[in-house]
Amino acid sequence: DNSFSMEAVTREGTLLDVAKKRAKEIAAAYKPSDRFQLLTNDFDPVDQRLLSRDEFVNAVDQIKIGPDSRKAGEILSRQTDVLNNSGSEQKSSVMISDFQQTMADFSSLRQDSAIAISLIPVKADGLSNAYIDSCWFSSPVVQWQQPAELNIRIRNNGDLDMEAVPVKLTINGVQKAVAAANVPSGNYTDVKLTFTVSDDGWQRAMIGIVDNPITFDDNFYFSFFVSKFANILSINNNVPSPYLKALFGNESYFKLATSDIRQIDYSSFAQNRMIILNELSSISSGLTSELTKFVDNGGTLVIVPDSAMDFQSYSDCFRSLGVAPITSLVINQEKVEKLILEDQVFQGVFSSGSGLNN
């Protein structure tokens, strides 16, 4: 087994070093005239050739860690083909591995009774391995030249606690933020990194940790889009909503445009990140068709219904969008007891002197 997990360390070196030593010890117990197959996860065509004992030992010394991982069933099947074609009466198969769960499909093995199978496990001393599980932004939109906060979840599936694991964020090849994480054994830690994007468009990002000796899972790649501004179109019955103007007017990032329901330019829909239907009495089939295309292409649609709406036209639009239709208007008086000001939706909405802190 020369998969990445064999980079783990023991007192004798890496697991691969130990496996190579065991393989040569096994070969030494056979006669010089016996023939050997050396098979790694690379499944190189040259592995199909039988070797002399000296050739086998030399080939073992050349084995290096590789990205491939094979299931035990695949390995045994490939070995069986070679051994059954060897013409030998006595055939043995030996697997040397740390037998990760992903490869150890022993229940599905189809054993050839003519081949003796031996499994030799190798195990690291106090396995320690951290990897990046996932990442997400605190805000759904990353704004150009504005601070953004990235949350990173780091897991430790090893036997030892890990302290001060270096974490760095690189965007478009430039390091943007660094941190250190303490990750308990068998658990995870969330790390927050704050950074500012200076370029618009698609951003190529990488989160990296330093976790020797197992390093193949230390980099996490992702991308995200940043625009200098977001166009928003509000479609109104008659007059624009003063509430929408108050909501978006003070933010330079948002560019709010309005359109009368009787003068809609459907060709402009694709230029907007979001479209708002602001208290329309009805939604025509033509508008429904264009809105469906807009949503299917990744646009955001916000619908603020009119209390005197045409239920049939709204329901037809909702069905086209894959949303449950509106069946009736229910009027109830509700009292708001408290605002959870910590919720993301209220971030930056109220000032400290607004009287809403309690």
Side-chain angles (χ1 to χ4, degrees), residues 229-243:
F229 53 84
N231 289 324
I232 300 173
L233 174 63
S234 173
I235 301 176
N236 312 293
N237 247 345
N238 293 306
V239 295
S241 168
Y243 306 111

Side-chain angles (χ1 to χ4, degrees), residues 305-322:
D306 182 43
S307 59
M309 76 181 81
D310 174 19
F311 286 103
Q312 186 61 51
S313 69
Y314 266 79
S315 295
D316 291 344
C317 178
F318 279 25
R319 288 192 187 94
S320 178
L321 294 168

Side-chain angles (χ1 to χ4, degrees), residues 97-124:
S97 171
D98 60 349
F99 295 108
Q100 294 283 314
Q101 187 175 359
T102 53
M103 69 84 69
D105 59 339
F106 300 124
S107 59
S108 62
L109 290 184
R110 295 183 179 180
Q111 183 176 350
D112 188 324
S113 59
I115 301 176
I117 300 177
S118 300
L119 306 179
I120 300 181
V122 290
K123 185 178 180 181

Side-chain angles (χ1 to χ4, degrees), residues 330-341:
V330 178
I331 300 177
N332 287 324
Q333 288 190 351
E334 300 287 349
K335 182 180 179 181
V336 176
E337 183 178 273
K338 182 181 180 182
L339 293 179
I340 309 299
L341 299 180

Side-chain angles (χ1 to χ4, degrees), residues 26 48 61 132 166 173-174 188 203 211 232 247 257 342:
I26 292 169
Q48 300 296 88
D61 287 331
I132 299 166
V174 178
Y188 68 85
Q203 312 295 312
D211 171 34
I232 300 173
L247 178 61
E342 296 79 15

